[in-house]
Amino acid sequence: ETIEKKLQIIESREKQSEQLKDVMTQLEQGVQGIFNSEDYKRFLDVMAKLPTYSLNNMLLIAIQTEGKASMCQSFTGWKSMGRYVKKGEKGIKILAPSPYTIQREQNKLDKATGQPIVDHDGEPVKETVDITMKAFRVVRTFDISQTDGKEIPSIGVDELVGNIEGYCTLMEAIKTVCPVPIYFEDIDSGAKGFYHQTEKRIAIQDGMSEVQTVKTAIHEMAHQKLHAKEDINILDVTQSRNSKEVEAESVAYAVCQHYGINTSDYSFGYVAGWSEGKELPELKKSL
């Protein structure tokens, strides 16, 4: 019985390892494949609807559902909300942390000096410590479209065009969370807005529609957060202007989409040219 149980454990680990390998391959291929206009927009739609998921899991959900997922939970998660997964539905494979602990022998250090403690013979004193190793396993989540049961309260709002209900409240919230001041003015260059690197302020063209104003404010806030000069020692200083625009526009699209603000005029046809020739780590860093 003990041998049989051990064999089952080994078989389970081998199966999990194979599943993990398949998911990681899917993830790598998926990142390379999303950078055309429609696939990229579908990925951002998933990002807008599932903001608490990790980048890797958002990518996996977008790939497996073609960007149609809107609300995901585990089997037990849906059950706790009064819903059940329909018979025959296949779960969406995602990654879950699965850390494990190993014991390692190392030199014992003096807490005051940080130097190794030695014994009477001048040899380092050893101690056994627990080391937590990062690891992941494959689990399954289900979209609300794969379930039936108790009605779920609507999250967000319906799509809005032109004017935004509660616009003044939303703009006040944007100004509150923005770390630099936002000013409305006439911009001579014809730009809808800009982030001033040296003066550390955001300018927005006065008199635009409510939707355009919100979209522009979020776009420029993204520039301030991601591309400000004070972060020059942390970020890649060789990043192109096109790369910065892709990042800022993506943030603005995802945030507006999350709040149901009309985003039908966004075009991401240019991301294919931006991503061409780039390696996977660089693309994931931007995402």
Side-chain angles (χ1 to χ4, degrees):
E1 186 182 6
T2 306
I3 293 173
E4 186 179 343
K5 190 173 182 180
K6 285 182 178 178
L7 287 172
Q8 287 175 347
I9 292 171
I10 292 170
E11 186 179 349
S12 175
R13 285 176 178 171
E14 287 178 346
K15 186 178 179 182
Q16 182 65 226
S17 178
E18 193 63 33
Q19 287 181 338
L20 187 60
K21 184 180 176 183
D22 290 344
V23 166
M24 296 308 291
T25 300
Q26 186 179 37
L27 189 58
E28 185 169 335
Q29 292 172 346
V31 172
Q32 297 285 8
I34 69 166
F35 290 102
N36 68 61
S37 183
E38 286 309 308
D39 286 346
Y40 189 66
K41 187 176 281 193
R42 279 195 288 265
F43 163 67
L44 293 179
D45 287 341
V46 170
M47 180 180 281
K49 293 168 188 169
L50 307 173
T52 59
Y53 280 78
S54 68
L55 170 63
N56 283 341
N57 283 340
M58 282 191 283
L59 283 163
L60 286 169
I61 292 169
I63 292 163
Q64 292 171 75
T65 66
E66 297 183 341
K68 295 175 183 175
S70 60
M71 186 179 183
C72 290
Q73 290 279 359
S74 65
F75 186 92
T76 52
W78 282 123
K79 190 176 179 181
S80 69
M81 296 171 73
R83 296 183 70 84
Y84 59 89
V85 176
K86 298 174 190 174
K87 188 176 180 180
E89 289 288 348
K90 293 183 178 180
I92 305 162
K93 294 178 183 177
I94 60 172
L95 300 171
S98 184
Y100 61 94
T101 302
I102 62 170
Q103 289 190 325
R104 180 179 294 169
E105 191 178 72
Q106 64 183 31
N107 292 339
K108 190 172 184 178
L109 302 179
D110 186 289
K111 291 181 180 179
T113 65
Q115 298 300 312
I117 298 173
V118 295
D119 60 20
H120 296 298
D121 298 322
E123 295 295 325
V125 176
K126 300 291 184 180
E127 65 176 348
T128 301
V129 295
D130 291 334
I131 305 292
T132 301
M133 307 296 290
K134 286 185 178 180
F136 293 89
R137 60 190 175 93
V138 178
V139 297
R140 284 168 173 77
T141 188
F142 297 87
D143 184 56
I144 191 170
S145 62
Q146 299 176 285
T147 68
D148 274 325
K150 186 179 177 182
E151 196 69 26
I152 300 296
S154 176
I155 54 173
V157 293
D158 293 331
E159 187 173 274
L160 302 163
V161 182
N163 295 328
I164 299 174
E165 185 180 349
Y167 167 76
C168 293
T169 303
L170 179 57
M171 278 306 300
E172 281 305 310
I174 288 172
K175 288 178 182 179
T176 299
V177 300
C178 185
V180 298
I182 296 175
Y183 297 101
F184 291 89
E185 57 189 69
D186 286 323
I187 301 174
D188 295 335
S189 66
K192 295 181 176 70
F194 61 85
Y195 169 60
H196 202 294
Q197 291 273 17
T198 54
E199 295 179 11
K200 293 182 174 53
R201 66 181 179 87
I202 288 172
I204 297 177
Q205 175 60 46
D206 196 17
M208 297 192 297
S209 72
E210 292 176 356
V211 166
Q212 187 62 65
T213 298
V214 168
K215 286 158 65 176
T216 300
I218 296 168
H219 180 105
E220 299 307 330
M221 282 175 66
H223 276 310
Q224 187 278 327
K225 185 169 180 63
L226 298 173
H227 312 130
K229 276 188 176 179
E230 53 265 34
D231 297 328
I232 204 162
N233 294 324
I234 301 171
L235 302 178
D236 182 4
V237 294
T238 63
Q239 189 177 21
S240 69
R241 181 177 178 180
N242 197 5
S243 171
K244 293 175 182 178
E245 286 303 313
V246 168
E247 291 178 357
E249 195 74 344
S250 299
V251 170
Y253 177 88
V255 173
C256 287
Q257 192 79 340
H258 179 78
Y259 287 104
I261 298 170
N262 177 35
T263 50
S264 59
D265 61 337
Y266 274 80
S267 172
F268 290 101
Y270 54 85
V271 299
W274 163 75
S275 64
E276 188 176 0
K278 286 183 170 59
E279 296 297 320
L280 186 64
E282 188 177 356
L283 293 175
K284 284 193 74 175
K285 184 180 178 184
S286 256
L287 291 178

